[in-house]
Amino acid sequence: MKKLSKKLAFLIFLIIGIITVGAQDFSARDKMIIYSECLDLLDEYQRLVNGLSESGGKGFEQTVSTGESLIELFINRKVLIYNDLDPQHQLSEYYELETYTSNMVMWYPDGMQIQMDLKNAKTGDIRMHDEGLYSTDIMVNKRIQGNYLNKSFNSNTEELIFRIAFIGKNKKFDEYKIVGIRESKSAGFIDDNKALYKLKSIELTENDKEKILNGIKQVLNDYQRSLLMLGDPNEPDDEKDFYKDAFLRLFPDEQVRIFNDIEENPQRSIITVREYLDNYLGHYPEGIRNLAINIDSAEFGDIIPVNDDQFFSYVYADKFFSGKFQGKNIFRLSTNLVFKIILDKSNNMFTNFKIESIDRGGLDFYQSEEATEQAVIPGNTILTVNRRGFHFSPFVTAGYSEIVNKNLNALSLEKDYHQWGISYSFAFSGGVNVDYFPWNKLGIGTGLEYNRYSAVYSLDGRFEDKELYYDVNADPYYKRFDSEMDSIVTMSYLNIPLQLTYFTNKPDRKGFYIKSGIRFSLFLDGNYEYRGTQSFWGYYPNHDEPADSLLIPELGFYDKADHEGGSKAKKISISARFSVGLNIPTGYFSAIYFGPVLDLGISSISANDGNYYDIFGREHQQLPTHINYLGWEIGMRFY
């Protein structure tokens, strides 16, 4: 409890890092990404808190597992959490995370449910605490419902501020962790410098850790010894010159800025190393009475890589100092200092240990105390990753099409004495869609698409017309048609769609899409290829063999073999398109999608405005011709 009270004494809101340099500029898209991830983290927090309450009836192991999952959302187990479990707020204001989770289970034996109003959450600025290390504050209303100690019902709604830290590198942001939770009306935020840097720490062998720890302790001992020798009035001047140089060599250069702990009410709390050394010697002409750094009880932070060869760490140590300021009044100071130590690695050796900064524990190094004491309540509306706006979607499809001539489909052997076979054939398309989404899940769009359709018409066998005809010589005969032929018809179109698109998922989640609409098609070209043979001849029942079978062109009979030609179609036609499939995000503002696609012709593509004539020359009413297509679509969506 004493340790907790000491931490609470350092409540600050704006600063949780040692070298915070203030709000950073992020693009609107960067902010969308960051805030979306923060809200996802809080949504998972809500799920696990509710799951922890429900796990009590599922056994001890399930409770432990859920509790550990909840703790994993935080930067460490010692994070301080506002105590919203006590409905009367009569107990401690803050608990460490492990204590908080234990209390949640013990104080609410019948379970507890929370509801977080994430849709109306507010945020503050995004702040940088070190290269690639950031944090932001999210304020959200949290409603609790549960029977506290089976005595009183807790239905409080608390306005809480979650501080969330994350790593950013090359415009990629990850490793989101909760650093602390406070009530919005609290005076400040729990300082947790040590925990914050765990996001960037690396794992080292015990041997390497020992090497680095020894090097850091040596630097601190040299710092303490140099100041003690310089503050000893009995030390010879030549020895003091030696320790001046030794003190300056502990820092990368003389312009390093450190905390001014040798003046009672300094005009500047931050001064350079050179100024510090000059003031130290000038302000205490009678020497120093007491100076000590409690290295044995110091706390050593994690090792943070700058690159493969450079690292840094933080040391949290108490410093005691007293001396007669300017030979008049005794000035005493006992404070906790934060030393940032940098070091190099070469050939598995750690060298060149230097003090890069010295800060007072709990205060921002680069901001005044007045600035750090102001508590800023997040008030900015959160705009998360969404689909609103224009989308650009290149795509391709491949499948099979059929060109359905209803006149051919209507023919039968019983009535028309012949029948065509029509089969699907390979088809493909490709193009670009441009959609506008006024809402997050529903959009309207158009685009430009090239389609190439094909179909195969087959006629195989001997077909005999039962009707008796007369030739130019008034000689009676029956029409006969021998065929072993396939006709491959291909058609190319340029399509302009008008379609609606609906997504079932959030932009950063897998889900399904549905697209439907109509397409206006412009006919580009078409052709056919005959492969095989056809013979149209006459059977004369009044003639003797072989004169009963005549194939004389002058009588209108003919032979055909392989040939090709152009196909005609209406210039403009209309079709409907339907597609459904899986949408998988590939980034915060892009996704790959794939699924089946179906095209159904609405208007006839036939350019023939007259009647239809079959192979025997029989006249039929012209019926429509449609193109149908079933394929597989794959595309990318950018927004």
Side-chain angles (χ1 to χ4, degrees):
M1 190 69 186
K2 182 178 179 182
K3 184 178 180 182
L4 185 60
S5 298
K6 182 179 178 181
K7 287 188 176 182
L8 290 174
F10 291 105
L11 282 174
I12 61 171
F13 176 68
L14 291 178
I15 309 303
I16 62 171
I18 290 181
I19 52 171
T20 307
V21 295
Q24 299 297 299
D25 290 330
F26 288 83
S27 69
R29 288 203 162 196
D30 287 343
K31 290 181 180 179
M32 286 184 185
I33 293 169
I34 291 166
Y35 295 141
S36 293
E37 291 289 347
C38 289
L39 291 186
D40 286 344
L41 179 65
L42 296 184
D43 188 51
E44 182 67 4
Y45 165 85
Q46 175 178 247
R47 187 186 71 82
L48 289 172
V49 168
N50 290 333
L52 184 61
S53 297
E54 295 169 355
S55 65
K58 299 179 181 179
F60 175 75
E61 291 185 359
Q62 182 63 42
T63 300
V64 172
S65 175
T66 306
E68 286 298 316
S69 298
L70 176 62
I71 289 172
E72 281 295 316
L73 301 182
F74 292 78
I75 206 163
N76 66 27
R77 296 172 176 268
K78 301 300 181 183
V79 164
L80 293 179
I81 309 297
Y82 175 71
N83 177 19
D84 54 7
L85 302 175
D86 170 18
Q88 304 300 324
H89 301 296
Q90 295 176 340
L91 303 177
S92 297
E93 187 178 8
Y94 288 89
Y95 285 114
E96 290 184 348
L97 175 60
E98 281 189 311
T99 304
Y100 181 90
T101 55
S102 298
N103 290 345
M104 190 191 313
V105 176
M106 292 188 298
W107 294 354
Y108 291 85
D110 294 335
M112 179 191 79
Q113 293 293 298
I114 67 168
Q115 291 180 327
M116 298 177 65
D117 187 12
L118 298 178
K119 290 184 178 180
N120 296 306
K122 302 291 184 180
T123 186
D125 292 325
I126 299 172
R127 284 181 159 75
M128 184 173 76
H129 303 276
D130 200 351
E131 186 65 32
L133 182 59
Y134 305 91
S135 75
T136 189
D137 296 323
I138 307 293
M139 185 171 71
V140 60
N141 286 330
K142 173 184 173 183
R143 184 183 181 188
I144 296 176
Q145 288 189 314
N147 194 1
Y148 175 65
L149 297 175
N150 283 336
K151 294 180 179 179
S152 60
F153 192 79
N154 185 354
S155 59
N156 290 349
T157 297
E158 307 282 359
E159 190 175 61
L160 302 180
I161 296 177
F162 291 74
R163 178 153 286 180
I164 298 174
F166 58 94
I167 297 293
K169 187 176 182 181
N170 299 326
K171 287 296 181 179
K172 293 183 179 180
F173 308 99
D174 51 22
E175 298 292 334
Y176 292 82
K177 296 288 184 180
I178 301 172
V179 178
I181 306 173
R182 78 174 180 96
E183 204 273 337
S184 63
K185 298 180 179 62
S186 296
F189 203 83
I190 303 298
D191 173 46
D192 205 344
N193 301 335
K194 311 173 189 64
L196 182 67
Y197 282 88
K198 281 187 175 294
L199 281 180
K200 297 184 69 177
S201 64
I202 59 171
E203 292 295 329
L204 295 171
T205 65
E206 291 300 322
N207 186 41
D208 284 345
K209 288 181 181 178
E210 187 67 24
K211 291 178 183 178
I212 294 174
L213 182 61
N214 290 336
I216 291 175
K217 286 183 177 180
Q218 185 61 51
V219 169
L220 296 179
N221 279 315
D222 291 344
Y223 170 85
Q224 178 179 247
R225 184 170 56 255
S226 295
L227 290 178
L228 282 172
M229 293 300 102
L230 290 171
D232 186 351
N234 299 319
E235 193 71 19
D237 290 342
D238 57 341
E239 289 294 324
K240 286 192 175 184
D241 289 338
F242 170 80
Y243 285 110
K244 286 180 186 178
D245 293 336
F247 180 78
L248 293 174
R249 285 197 301 271
L250 294 174
F251 301 86
D253 59 67
E254 298 180 6
Q255 300 305 311
V256 167
R257 296 171 14 159
I258 62 177
F259 177 63
N260 182 5
D261 58 2
I262 54 176
E263 296 182 56
E264 186 170 3
N265 294 304
Q267 292 182 348
R268 291 184 299 142
S269 60
I270 304 162
I271 57 177
T272 67
V273 170
R274 168 53 69 179
E275 290 174 315
Y276 185 94
L277 181 58
D278 292 342
N279 293 345
Y280 183 79
L281 297 173
H283 292 339
Y284 298 90
E286 297 180 9
I288 302 300
R289 293 192 174 193
N290 181 31
L291 188 149
I293 295 178
N294 197 342
I295 298 175
D296 292 336
S297 64
E299 295 184 57
F300 296 86
D302 294 287
I303 310 302
I304 315 299
V306 178
N307 52 47
D308 292 339
D309 302 320
Q310 293 179 310
F311 303 85
F312 69 88
S313 185
Y314 289 96
V315 182
Y316 307 83
D318 292 326
K319 179 179 178 181
F320 306 95
F321 173 83
S322 67
K324 185 175 287 189
F325 183 72
Q326 294 181 345
K328 299 176 182 180
N329 300 321
I330 298 295
F331 170 59
R332 294 183 178 87
L333 178 70
S334 175
T335 187
N336 180 262
L337 295 181
V338 184
F339 294 79
K340 182 178 181 181
I341 309 296
I342 59 174
L343 58 139
D344 297 332
K345 181 182 180 182
S346 178
N347 297 323
N348 208 31
M349 297 292 292
F350 297 96
T351 59
N352 200 26
F353 289 79
K354 300 283 186 182
I355 303 172
E356 190 175 61
S357 69
I358 304 175
D359 184 19
R360 183 159 61 137
L363 290 180
D364 173 36
F365 183 73
Y366 289 110
Q367 298 221 6
S368 67
E369 295 183 23
E370 290 78 8
T372 62
E373 290 170 357
Q374 297 173 1
V376 177
I377 302 299
N380 301 327
T381 300
I382 295 179
L383 183 61
T384 57
V385 173
N386 61 77
R387 294 192 183 92
R388 293 185 183 92
F390 286 97
H391 293 210
F392 173 77
S393 306
F395 68 93
V396 294
T397 76
Y400 292 90
S401 63
E402 64 172 356
I403 303 174
V404 182
N405 185 319
K406 290 191 175 182
N407 284 109
L408 297 184
N409 282 1
L411 298 173
S412 66
L413 291 173
E414 293 78 12
K415 180 171 61 111
D416 304 292
Y417 312 118
H418 71 290
Q419 190 172 34
W420 287 83
I422 305 175
S423 57
Y424 292 96
S425 187
F426 178 73
F428 64 90
S429 69
V432 173
N433 285 328
V434 178
D435 301 285
Y436 179 74
F437 277 70
W439 303 281
N440 200 29
K441 292 186 176 182
L442 182 64
I444 186 171
T446 184
L448 197 63
E449 177 186 4
Y450 172 79
N451 283 84
R452 188 167 182 83
Y453 302 111
S454 63
V456 178
Y457 299 90
S458 301
L459 191 63
D460 295 309
R462 171 168 289 181
F463 304 102
E464 302 177 355
D465 193 348
K466 306 301 182 182
E467 184 177 342
L468 189 65
Y469 295 87
Y470 293 87
D471 63 16
V472 294
N473 300 314
D475 203 357
Y477 71 96
Y478 292 99
K479 294 179 180 180
R480 298 289 186 264
F481 203 92
D482 293 336
S483 177
E484 293 183 3
M485 179 272 296
D486 290 331
S487 177
I488 303 172
V489 179
T490 59
M491 291 184 169
S492 297
Y493 283 87
L494 193 64
N495 298 302
I496 299 176
L498 183 62
Q499 62 189 13
L500 292 173
T501 303
Y502 177 79
F503 290 96
T504 63
N505 60 307
K506 294 180 179 180
D508 57 344
R509 295 287 186 268
K510 294 178 184 177
F512 296 96
Y513 69 88
I514 301 172
K515 293 194 294 183
S516 65
I518 60 173
R519 301 187 310 153
F520 301 92
S521 301
L522 174 67
F523 178 69
L524 299 178
D525 62 63
N527 62 75
Y528 68 87
E529 295 182 15
Y530 271 70
R531 296 291 180 263
T533 60
Q534 285 184 332
S535 297
F536 175 54
W537 53 280
Y539 171 68
Y540 288 78
N542 296 334
H543 293 198
D544 294 330
E545 292 185 358
D548 60 345
S549 300
L550 300 181
L551 200 160
I552 301 173
E554 289 77 9
L555 296 177
F557 304 123
Y558 59 84
D559 266 335
K560 286 184 179 181
D562 294 351
H563 67 285
E564 58 187 43
S567 297
K568 295 181 179 180
K570 284 185 178 179
K571 203 65 178 174
I572 301 294
S573 60
I574 300 175
S575 62
R577 167 163 285 189
F578 305 94
S579 65
V580 61
L582 186 62
N583 185 76
I584 301 175
T586 55
Y588 292 99
F589 298 97
S590 63
I592 186 172
Y593 64 92
F594 52 89
V597 57
L598 174 66
D599 293 343
L600 297 174
I602 295 176
S603 65
S604 177
I605 66 169
S606 176
N608 185 5
D609 294 328
N611 290 328
Y612 168 74
Y613 294 88
D614 64 21
I615 60 173
F616 296 122
R618 293 182 178 216
E619 186 177 11
H620 303 266
Q621 180 184 355
Q622 182 69 44
L623 298 177
T625 299
H626 297 138
I627 297 178
N628 297 328
Y629 172 68
L630 179 64
W632 191 266
E633 177 182 25
I634 184 169
M636 286 292 299
R637 181 174 292 271
F638 303 94
Y639 48 92

